[in-house]
C-alpha cells in the first residue's frame, strides 16, 4: 500500500474529488512510494479563497506574533530532522547527510526570516508642502503562490513561506509533482501549532493542471516561482492576464574561472564537490570551467581524479556513497544527449561520459570533458548533472568574455590570488552572484537573484524579504 497524499486547505485535509492521481517514485529503486492528486482549478480556487480570507486577520497581527509562528515551525522541524531527511532522500535521491543539512538549514532559514519582524521598515519622505508628512509604508501583498521545484524541495518551502508570512501575506504552495512527500510531512508537523486556518495551504498536482490554475488565479498577488526557464515563461504569460507580480528564480549556467595564480587544489576540491553534490542538480553550481592554459592540465587531472573517486548509489542503501541518483529518466536522457553532442562537437572525455548501469535507478558517471569549444551546446545549455565541461583560455579578459556569453546570469566564480583579478571579475561578470576562492553557495542573508533568463527578482536577505511587500504612500496634511 502506497501512502496517499491529500491537499491541505484552510487548515484541514481536502479530498481532491474526481481529480486524477499521480504516482511518486523513489528514483534510486524505480518503485512507487506514494500517490498524490492532480488537483483541479476548483481545488486551487478553494485554496486561494482560504488564503484570502485568512490574510485579513493575519496581515493585522503584529509582525512579532507572525514571527512566533515561524519559530514554532522551525522548532518542530529541528525535532524531526532525521525523519525529514529520510523522506527527502527517498523521493529526491540526495544523500542522507545532505538531506539532514537541508532540513536543519530550513529551520535556520525560518528563524532568520522571523528575525526580520522588528525590522520591516518604511520611510518618511520630506514633503514640498508645509505641515505635510509623507510616509512610505511596507504592506503585505495578499495571497502568495509558491511554486516549487524538486531539487531542494523542503528548503524551498521555507524560502517562500518565511518571507511571505512574516510580512503579513498568506500562502498557497504547490510542491513539485516529483517530491510531494516532504511537503506532506511539513503539513503533518504543523499539527498542534495553532496556526490560523488558511494562512498556509498546500495543493498538489502537475504543472499543467494545478500549477497553471494557481498562476492564472486573479486573487493571487505574487507568484514566487523556482524552476526552469520554460516554466517561468509559461507562468509569466499566465500572470500577465491579471498583471500579477512575479518573482522568478530560474536556471543557471554558472561559469567558474581558474587563473594560473590560483590555489589549484582548492579550486579542484570545490568545483568537483559541487558537481557531485545533489548529483549536480543545483541551479547555482559551476556548469562550465574556464581555465588558464598554463594550469589546464593540472586542473583537468585533478578534477578527473576527484570525479573518478566519487561513489554513487542508493542513498538509503547499505553502501557509503557520495552521490545519489538523478531525479528521473528525462533528466538522465538530457545529460546523456548533452554529453554526446559535446563529444560530436570535439570534446574529449577524460573520465566518465556515459550512463551508469546499477540495475535500477538513474545514474550518470561523474564526468570531465576537456577541450569543450565555447560554441558547443554543452557550454550553453543547463546540464543539471555530474558533468564538468572545461574550456581553455589565455587571459582573464577572454575568460570574462566567454563567461558572459550566456543566456543565463545567476552565479559565477573565480579562483585567483590576485585581488585585482578578483575585483575585475566582480565588476565585469554579468551575473547576480560571484564567489571568489570558494564554493558556489549563497547565504540566507545575501540576495540570490539572477539576470537575463535566470530570473526576475530574488530571494533571501532584506531584498528578498521586501519582494513580498507592496509600497503604500500616505500623504498626511496637518
Ligand atoms: P520545472 O520548471 O519543471 O518545475 C517547477 C515547478 O513548476 C513544478 O512544481 C511544476 O509542477 C511547476 N510547473 C510546471 N509547469 C507549470 C505551469 N505551466 N504553470 C505553473 N507551474 C508549472 O523545474 P524543475 O525541473 O522542478 O526544477 C529544475 C529547474 O529549477 C532547473 O532549471 C534549476 O536551475 C531551477 N532552479 C532554480 C533555482 C534558483 O534559485 N534560481 C533553484 C533551484 C532550481
Amino acid at each position: 500500500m502506497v501512502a496517499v497524499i491529500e491537499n491541505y486547505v484552510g487548515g484541514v485535509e481536502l479530498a481532491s474529488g474526481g481529480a486524477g492521481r499521480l504516482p511518486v517514485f523513489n528514483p534510486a529503486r524505480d518503485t512507487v512510494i506514494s500517490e498524490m492528486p492532480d488537483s483541479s482549478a476548483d481545488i486551487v480556487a478553494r485554496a486561494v479563497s482560504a488564503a484570502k480570507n485568512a490574510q485579513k486577520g493575519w496581515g493585522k497581527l503584529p509582525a512579532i506574533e507572525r514571527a512566533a509562528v515561524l519559530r514554532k515551525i522551525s522548532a518542530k522541524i529541528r525535532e524531526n530532522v532525521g525523519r525529514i531527511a529520510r523522506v527527502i532522500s527517498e523521493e529526491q535521491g540526495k544523500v542522507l547527510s545532505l538531506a539532514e543539512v537541508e532540513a536543519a538549514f530550513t529551520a535556520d532559514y525560518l528563524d532568520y526570516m522571523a528575525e526580520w519582524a522588528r525590522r520591516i521598515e518604511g520611510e518618511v519622505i520630506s514633503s514640498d508642502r508645509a505641515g505635510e508628512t509623507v510616509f512610505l509604508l511596507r504592506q503585505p501583498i495578499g495571497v502568495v503562490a509558491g511554486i516549487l521545484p524538486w531539487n531542494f524541495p523542503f528548503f524551498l518551502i521555507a524560502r517562500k513561506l518565511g518571507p511571505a508570512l512574516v510580512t503579513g501575506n498568506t500562502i498557497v504552495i504547490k510542491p513539485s509533482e516529483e517530491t510531494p512527500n516532504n511537503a506532506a510531512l511539513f503539513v503533518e508537523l504543523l499539527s498542534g501549532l495553532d496556526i490560523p486556518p488558511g494562512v498556509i495551504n498546500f495543493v498538489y498536482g502537475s504543472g499543467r493542471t494545478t500549477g497553471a490554475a494557481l498562476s492564472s488565479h486573479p486573487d493571487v498577488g505574487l507568484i514566487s516561482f523556482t524552476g526552469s526557464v520554460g516554466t517561468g515563461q509559461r507562468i509569466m504569460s499566465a500572470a500577465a492576464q491579471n498583471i500579477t507580480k512575479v518573482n522568478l528564480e530560474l536556471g543557471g549556467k554558472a561559469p567558474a574561472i581558474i587563473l594560473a595564480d590560483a590555489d589549484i587544489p582548492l579550486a579542484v576540491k570545490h568545483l568537483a564537490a559541487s558537481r557531485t553534490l545533489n548529483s549536480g542538480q543545483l541551479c547555482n553550481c559551476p556548469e562550465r570551467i574556464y581555465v588558464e592554459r598554463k594550469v589546464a592540465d593540472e586542473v583537468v587531472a585533478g578534477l578527473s581524479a576527484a570525479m573518478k573517486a566519487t561513489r554513487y548509489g542508493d542513498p538509503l542503501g547499505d553502501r557509503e556513497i557520495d552521490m545519489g541518483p538523478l531525479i528521473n529518466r528525462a533528466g538522465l536522457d538530457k545529460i546523456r544527449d548533452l554529453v554526446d553532442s559535446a563529444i560530436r562537437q570535439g570534446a574529449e572525455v577524460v573520465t566518465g561520459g556515459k550512463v551508469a548501469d546499477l540495475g535500477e535507478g538513474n545514474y550518470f558517471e561523474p564526468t570531465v570533458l576537456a577541450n569543450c569549444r565555447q560554441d558547443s551546446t554543452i557550454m550553453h545549455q543547463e546540464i543539471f548533472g555530474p558533468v564538468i565541461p572545461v574550456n581553455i583560455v589565455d587571459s582573464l579578459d577572454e575568460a570574462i568574455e566567454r563567461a558572459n556569453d550566456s543566456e543565463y546570469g545567476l552565479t559565477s566564480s573565480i579562483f585567483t590570488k590576485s585581488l585585482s583579478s578578483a575585483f575585475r571579475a566582480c565588476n565585469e561578470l554579468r551575473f547576480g552572484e560571484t564567489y571568489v576562492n570558494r564554493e558556489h553557495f549563497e547565504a540566507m542573508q545575501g540576495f540570490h537573484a539572477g539576470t537575463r533568463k535566470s530570473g526576475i527578482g530574488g530571494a533571501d536577505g532584506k531584498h528578498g524579504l521586501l519582494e513580498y511587500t507592496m509600497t503604500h504612500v500616505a500623504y498626511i496634511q496637518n
Side-chain angles (χ1 to χ4, degrees):
M1 265 268 291
V2 297
V4 175
I5 295 172
E6 291 293 1
N7 296 301
Y8 178 72
V9 172
V12 293
E13 197 174 282
L14 178 66
S16 50
R21 314 288 302 180
L22 301 171
V24 183
F25 292 90
N26 172 332
R29 300 182 186 173
D30 304 325
T31 48
V32 174
I33 47 177
S34 64
E35 62 169 54
M36 55 177 242
D38 191 10
S39 302
S40 63
D42 179 48
I43 296 282
V44 169
R46 289 172 70 173
V48 173
S49 163
K52 190 177 171 186
N53 287 334
Q55 201 276 328
K56 292 173 200 146
W58 181 252
K60 289 195 184 111
L61 286 179
I64 198 72
E65 288 183 32
R66 298 193 294 255
V69 167
L70 297 185
R71 290 189 206 279
K72 281 198 275 187
I73 301 174
S74 67
K76 205 66 182 281
I77 290 172
R78 283 200 186 88
E79 287 164 18
N80 288 277
V81 164
R83 196 173 151 217
I84 297 164
R86 285 190 77 80
V87 170
I88 297 173
S89 285
E90 185 186 37
E91 64 181 336
Q92 195 265 317
K94 63 168 57 87
V95 296
L96 209 49
S97 54
L98 180 60
E100 281 163 4
V101 170
E102 179 175 349
F105 191 77
T106 302
D108 291 350
Y109 195 89
L110 290 174
D111 283 348
Y112 167 74
M113 279 298 165
E115 284 170 17
W116 276 102
R118 292 196 176 94
R119 297 180 178 84
I120 303 167
E121 295 170 352
E123 294 167 25
V124 184
I125 303 165
S126 63
S127 168
D128 291 349
R129 298 183 179 196
E132 184 186 61
T133 311
V134 182
F135 291 100
L136 182 143
L137 309 172
R138 286 279 176 185
Q139 295 178 329
I141 295 173
V143 176
V144 172
I147 302 181
L148 313 183
W150 46 262
N151 65 341
F152 280 86
F154 197 73
F155 165 60
L156 263 299
I157 296 174
R159 210 184 215 175
K160 311 290 186 203
L161 180 144
L165 261 52
V166 77
T167 50
N169 304 281
T170 52
I171 194 162
V172 179
I173 293 179
K174 191 203 93 59
S176 165
E177 52 272 54
E178 303 283 355
T179 51
N181 295 348
N182 71 89
L185 177 52
F186 188 94
V187 168
E188 189 191 317
L189 297 180
L190 300 180
S191 159
L193 297 187
D194 269 343
I195 301 172
V199 168
I200 301 172
N201 308 274
F202 279 80
V203 289
Y204 300 92
S206 65
R208 209 176 318 116
T209 308
T210 317
L214 188 55
S215 46
S216 56
H217 197 292
D219 286 341
V220 168
L222 166 69
I223 304 167
S224 180
F225 169 69
T226 303
S228 63
V229 173
T231 306
Q233 288 166 331
R234 281 186 281 281
I235 286 178
M236 234 176 134
S237 37
Q241 305 312 309
N242 302 307
I243 319 290
T244 305
K245 181 178 175 182
V246 290
N247 173 287
L248 304 176
E249 302 285 324
L250 309 179
K253 186 71 195 169
I257 298 172
I258 308 178
L259 297 185
D261 69 356
D263 178 337
I264 303 297
L266 179 93
V268 163
K269 182 181 95 177
H270 285 316
L271 297 175
S274 67
R275 277 330 308 174
T276 51
L277 193 79
N278 208 24
S279 311
Q281 302 166 120
L282 298 109
C283 62
N284 54 8
C285 277
E287 280 257 340
R288 52 199 168 115
I289 289 178
Y290 297 103
V291 56
E292 264 197 313
R293 191 174 298 279
K294 224 166 108 186
V295 290
D297 287 348
E298 187 185 348
V299 165
V300 168
L303 289 173
S304 169
M307 294 298 268
K308 223 180 233 158
T310 303
R311 301 160 300 174
Y312 49 90
D314 182 351
L316 300 180
D318 302 331
R319 282 190 315 123
E320 208 172 303
I321 53 156
D322 311 303
M323 187 179 97
L326 294 153
I327 188 72
N328 54 28
R329 186 76 213 181
L332 183 68
D333 289 347
K334 182 181 146 201
I335 296 165
R336 188 206 49 219
D337 291 351
L338 266 175
V339 169
D340 288 352
S341 80
I343 296 167
R344 280 196 306 276
Q345 290 168 340
E348 175 202 336
V349 178
V350 186
T351 190
K354 51 186 195 308
V355 170
D357 186 4
L358 300 193
E360 54 187 7
N362 309 302
Y363 299 90
F364 200 84
E365 293 176 349
T367 296
V368 178
L369 299 173
N371 302 321
C372 292
R373 288 190 346 231
Q374 175 62 12
D375 65 355
S376 61
T377 317
I378 202 157
M379 298 302 276
H380 294 274
Q381 280 186 17
E382 194 180 40
I383 307 168
F384 235 52
V387 176
I388 305 179
V390 182
N391 175 275
I392 296 175
V393 292
D394 285 305
S395 65
L396 175 60
D397 284 327
E398 193 168 52
I400 291 176
E401 192 187 317
R402 289 184 185 177
N404 285 339
D405 170 26
S406 176
E407 284 192 332
Y408 293 99
L410 191 55
T411 74
S412 56
S413 70
I414 183 164
F415 290 85
T416 177
K417 289 189 184 134
S418 154
L419 196 57
S420 136
S421 299
F423 269 108
R424 270 202 57 206
C426 294
N427 284 319
E428 295 176 31
L429 285 169
R430 306 300 298 152
F431 288 78
E433 283 153 50
T434 299
Y435 303 100
V436 179
N437 294 327
R438 55 157 284 186
E439 76 276 29
H440 289 224
F441 212 81
E442 66 270 17
M444 61 180 85
Q445 65 272 41
F447 185 48
H448 182 55
T451 183
R452 298 190 288 272
K453 286 190 180 163
S454 288
I456 296 176
D460 313 333
K462 176 175 87 175
H463 299 286
L465 181 91
L466 293 180
E467 299 259 325
Y468 290 78
T469 65
M470 59 168 267
T471 57
H472 185 161
V473 180
Y475 299 85
I476 301 174
Q477 185 71 57
N478 284 340

